[in-house]
Amino acid sequence: MFDQVVFAGGGNRCWWQAGFWDVVQPQLQIRPRVITGISAGAATACMLYMRDSQWVMRYYEEALKHNTRNAYWGNLLRGESVFPHYRIYRQALLDIYGPHFAKLQDAPEIRIGVSHLPRWLGARSAVAAGLIAYNIEKHVRKTLHPTLGRKLGFHPEFVIAQDCARVDDLADLVLQSSCTPPFTPVLRRNGRPVLDGGMVDNVPVGALDDTPGRVLVMVTRLYPRPQMFVVKHRTRETQGEQQRLYVQPSAKVPISSWDYTSPLQMQHAYNLGAQDGERFLERLPEVFEAAAHA
């Protein structure tokens, strides 16, 4: 059904993808050859091949039960991190992936994106410029595939998850792909500072193989488009066609990207994804039929 799959970024909103996938994948027997992902979308893709979603949600409920704030401003006086996210997230990735890390080798090739900074900007200036561009694309332009980051000089790198020799390497890669100051520090890959892969494109279709076939693209944000729509992409090398089927949530996902105080909302986001997955299965034939005649 789908030769390749895209997991867009979105922080906690990616629980929608987990619910959607857990309904749709078994019914359609989706066995993609390639998966591309950004930030928490990449984390979710890896999780789905190593762990049960419900187990992971129970893990977060326990891990976050004593975290009452998203910012501890009193830590400034002690020289400690104000934001708890990086510490919690890294430990969670190690705990979730660690016991079943070997299963990753049986998963499809998972390509995880990071954004390299413009060479003409220092790290702090690049962070500021990148975040401004990111929020303009998100809140003002609401573009499906942004362009401002590339125009500023941000450029992507995609790293194959299966090339990570240790679970610590995979956790670091996911964190680099999720790097969004001030919730995380500016992180480095091979000595060079990197930011969230979404600074270039939060929906990483650019990392797909340029081959004919069907691609499932799961976004986590609402765009001014139909809930399901097909974009036809002409492949360069074979002069064939990709049919990229985009699916977005039917309503705003009921959790904030970096909210680490409301773990029970993860289940609500997951449930919305599961409900949307059921509707997706019902509507899939008509969507492809319409695309064939477009």
Side-chain angles (χ1 to χ4, degrees), residues 115-131:
S115 293
H116 287 281
L117 278 53
R119 297 185 183 278
W120 59 277
L121 284 176
R124 290 184 180 180
S125 299
V127 168
L131 292 175

Side-chain angles (χ1 to χ4, degrees), residues 63-138:
L64 297 176
K65 68 180 181 181
H66 297 302
N67 185 64
T68 59
R69 303 176 188 174
N70 286 310
Y72 294 84
W73 296 106
N75 285 357
L76 285 173
L77 301 175
R78 294 185 289 273
E80 299 174 2
S81 176
V82 169
F83 299 94
H85 302 77
Y86 177 79
R87 172 183 55 82
I88 293 172
Y89 194 10
R90 190 174 198 281
Q91 189 59 53
L93 293 173
L94 295 174
D95 291 343
I96 293 164
Y97 296 158
H100 302 285
F101 182 60
K103 288 185 177 181
L104 190 63
Q105 296 304 319
D106 297 324
E109 181 178 296
I110 301 176
R111 301 170 183 175
I112 300 178
V114 301
S115 293
H116 287 281
L117 278 53
R119 297 185 183 278
W120 59 277
L121 284 176
R124 290 184 180 180
S125 299
V127 168
L131 292 175
I132 291 170
Y134 180 84
N135 281 285
I136 289 173
E137 298 277 19
K138 177 180 177 181

Side-chain angles (χ1 to χ4, degrees), residues 166-223:
R166 304 175 304 137
V167 67
D168 300 71
D169 299 329
L170 179 60
D172 287 340
L173 174 58
V174 169
L175 286 163
Q176 291 157 4
S177 182
S178 308
C179 180
T180 310
F183 299 110
T184 71
V186 176
L187 300 176
R188 292 179 178 271
R189 179 163 191 84
N190 298 325
R192 298 167 58 194
V194 293
L195 289 176
D196 188 301
M199 297 293 173
V200 174
D201 191 348
N202 197 50
V203 188
V205 297
L208 294 169
D209 281 356
D210 192 36
T211 54
R214 287 175 172 169
V215 179
L216 175 62
V217 184
M218 291 175 286
V219 302
T220 63
R221 191 180 296 153
L222 296 181
Y223 295 90

